[in-house]
């Protein structure tokens, strides 16, 4: 196929990917009923601002927005103490997240969610262009267009935006941090990273670890100081009001991760396969919840230690490769939903924008490819409608290999990225745009 035909094909696929992104992301949430992942942090942030317990079921009901219909089961489950167990609310977001979101509570819900959709979608759209800019490529470059195609086709991004989950903005803020650093604005980078960490620490924490490991103290210190100050403000507000929130938070968290809850990786139904942490895979393999949890945590610690050692031994670091590795491995041992895999934008950028060795790009892309479709959801639907033969659905491999395929895929991708770090001297890369030292 000629170069011109390749460009036409890529442009056509890019248009289709953008259309899918719009329909499954901002259009879906804009036409929703108001029930989404931003609603409950919004209510809890409002409760915090009023000096009341944001982790109380009673406060969740009393601060419910008047312009959002409240399902009848909310009060019933609250009366029975089952809201956390059955619905996952109130959410266990840290106080720092609620402080960051509190300015939105100055607006009525209808305006707040509209503003949130605009900000989250705008940030998600700008993120791949920021990475293209940092890597020194033009938007018209074929590699850049293929990267844009892959990003806009990334299903976790669609799901995150379609549910208005704060993780999407946190991912975009980490990319904005990287962009600001390379534009010689370390203070701005530190501020952006702090907001991302406050908003979703389990998603943005990987980039903070990278800056600490690489001794980029200026950015890391600014981020840590601001994040601690925001968290401190969250605590002081409740302490000043005399709210005993710690016990409430701990009980809230215990119930949300209790057996039978939405966050239980041992659930007998397919809901658990919306999670992408390694506990899901190990439990399907071993059938022992305690052992699965310990193995997942051990794997995460070992891989993180290996990553830190590789960072230490590399004198000529590959920034995007190191960030990619720590971002993906951060998904392994801690509770994560499918949409958190939006961090795959990092290895996509590294492999498609910088790496010149085609086999490396192809291998990395193959392991990311399963996240171009909502695999477990599609397979579960096909199985429930009888479109998949019963002997496959009833086989041991269905819950051990097939449905948790995204989990073990992420584990394999982590090993692959760490291997590339170990053998970085043999993987040639294009030279990214020069950055200004920020230490």
């Amino acid at each position: 196929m000629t170069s011109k035909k390749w460009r036409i094909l890529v442009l056509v696929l890019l248009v289709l990917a953008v259309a899918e992104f719009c329909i499954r992301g901002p259009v879906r949430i804009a036409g929703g009923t108001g029930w989404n992942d931003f609603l409950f942090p919004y209510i809890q942030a409002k409760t915090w601002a009023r000096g009341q317990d944001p982790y109380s079921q009673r406060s969740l009901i009393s601060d419910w927005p008047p312009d959002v219909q409240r399902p009848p089961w909310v009060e019933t489950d609250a009366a029975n103490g089952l809201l956390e167990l059955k619905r996952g609310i109130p959410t266990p977001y840290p106080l720092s997240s609620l402080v960051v979101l509190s300015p939105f509570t100055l607006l009525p819900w209808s305006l707040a969610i509209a503003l949130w959709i605009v900000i989250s979608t705008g940030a998600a759209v700008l993120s791949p262009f920021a990475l293209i800019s940092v890597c020194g490529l033009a938007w018209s470059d074929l590699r850049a267009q293929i990267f844009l195609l892959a990003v806009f086709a990334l299903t976790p991004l669609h799901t995150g935006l379609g549910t208005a989950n704060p993780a999407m903005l946190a991912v975009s803020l980490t990319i904005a941090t990287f962009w600001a650093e390379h534009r010689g604005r370390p203070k701005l980078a530190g501020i952006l990273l702090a907001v991302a960490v406050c908003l979703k620490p389990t998603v943005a924490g990987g980039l903070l670890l990278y800056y600490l490991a690489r001794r980029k103290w200026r950015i890391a210190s600014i981020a840590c100081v601001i994040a601690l100050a925001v968290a401190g403000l969250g605590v002081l507000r409740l302490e000043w009001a005399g709210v005993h929130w710690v016990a409430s938070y701990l009980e809230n968290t215990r119930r949300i991760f209790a057996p039978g809850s939405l966050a239980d990786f041992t659930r007998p139904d397919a809901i658990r396969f919306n999670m992408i942490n390694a506990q899901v895979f190990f439990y399907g393999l071993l059938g022992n919840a305690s052992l699965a949890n310990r193995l997942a945590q051990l794997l995460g610690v070992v891989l993180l230690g290996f990553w830190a050692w590789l960072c230490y031994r590399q004198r000529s670091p590959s920034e995007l490769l190191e960030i990619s590795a720590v971002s993906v491995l951060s998904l392994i041992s801690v509770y994560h939903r499918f949409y958190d895999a939006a961090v795959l934008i990092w290895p996509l950028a590294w492999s498609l924008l910088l790496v010149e060795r085609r086999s490396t790009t192809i291998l990395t892309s193959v392991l990311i490819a399963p996240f171009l479709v909502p695999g477990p959801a599609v397979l579960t639907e096909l199985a429930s409608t009888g479109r998949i033969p019963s002997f496959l659905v009833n086989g041991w491999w269905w819950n051990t290999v097939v449905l948790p395929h995204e989990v073990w895929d992420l584990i394999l991708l982590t090993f692959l990225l760490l291997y590339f770090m170990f053998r970085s001297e043999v993987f040639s890369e294009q030279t990214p745009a020069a950055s200004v030292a920020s230490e």
Side-chain angles (χ1 to χ4, degrees), residues 355-412:
V355 176
E356 294 183 341
R357 191 169 180 173
R358 182 172 298 180
S359 60
T360 301
T361 300
I362 293 175
L363 189 55
T364 305
S365 299
V366 165
L367 288 178
I368 296 176
F371 291 88
L372 299 180
V373 293
V378 172
L379 290 171
T380 301
E381 177 64 22
L382 293 175
S384 64
T385 56
R387 298 181 184 179
I388 297 180
S390 58
F391 75 90
L392 290 176
V393 176
N394 296 328
W396 65 269
W397 53 79
W398 185 252
N399 288 333
T400 304
V401 178
V402 179
L403 286 184
H405 67 274
E406 291 172 344
V407 182
W408 55 258
D409 182 71
L410 286 174
I411 296 174
L412 290 177

Side-chain angles (χ1 to χ4, degrees), residues 121-334:
T121 303
V125 170
L126 290 175
S127 293
F129 291 99
L131 288 171
I132 291 171
S133 174
V134 169
C135 293
L137 297 179
W139 300 349
S140 58
D141 191 289
L142 182 60
R143 292 168 67 105
Q145 292 174 0
I146 294 175
F147 171 64
L148 289 173
L149 163 61
V151 171
F152 287 119
L154 203 59
T155 303
L157 187 61
H158 306 163
T159 303
L161 290 174
T163 57
N165 194 279
M168 298 307 98
L169 183 56
V171 172
S172 297
L173 287 171
T174 59
I175 294 171
T177 298
F178 189 65
W179 175 87
E181 177 203 359
H182 280 257
R183 288 294 175 269
R185 304 179 68 179
K187 292 181 180 179
L188 176 60
I191 294 171
L192 292 170
L193 181 56
V195 177
V197 170
C198 289
L199 194 59
K200 199 82 171 183
T202 55
V203 169
L207 185 61
L208 178 58
L209 287 175
Y210 164 76
Y211 283 123
L212 290 172
R214 278 298 164 199
R215 301 180 183 181
K216 298 190 177 187
W217 303 123
R218 193 172 184 186
I219 295 176
S221 60
I222 291 174
C224 288
V225 169
I226 294 177
L228 289 174
V230 171
L233 176 61
V235 173
L236 285 175
R237 177 67 184 97
L238 296 183
E239 292 296 328
W240 183 268
V243 177
H244 302 291
W245 63 276
V246 176
S248 179
Y249 176 78
L250 293 176
E251 179 63 17
N252 172 274
T253 304
R254 185 192 68 78
R255 290 181 179 181
I256 284 178
F257 290 96
S261 69
L262 287 176
D264 179 17
F265 60 84
T266 69
R267 288 176 63 104
D269 54 29
I271 291 179
R272 76 176 189 268
F273 297 110
N274 289 329
M275 290 179 273
I276 55 174
N277 41 297
Q279 284 89 341
V280 177
F281 170 72
F282 284 123
Y283 178 76
L285 190 65
L286 304 171
N288 185 305
S290 177
L291 181 58
N293 193 44
R294 291 178 183 178
L295 284 176
Q297 293 173 348
L298 177 62
L299 178 63
V301 170
V302 170
L303 292 178
L304 182 60
F306 188 53
W307 173 84
W309 176 74
L310 289 173
C311 288
Y312 174 77
R313 71 186 286 269
Q314 291 295 339
R315 300 308 176 196
S316 300
S318 172
E319 293 179 296
L320 273 179
L321 176 56
E322 293 177 359
I323 295 172
S324 298
V326 73
S327 296
V328 177
L329 74 84
S330 68
L331 300 174
I332 289 179
S333 60
V334 181

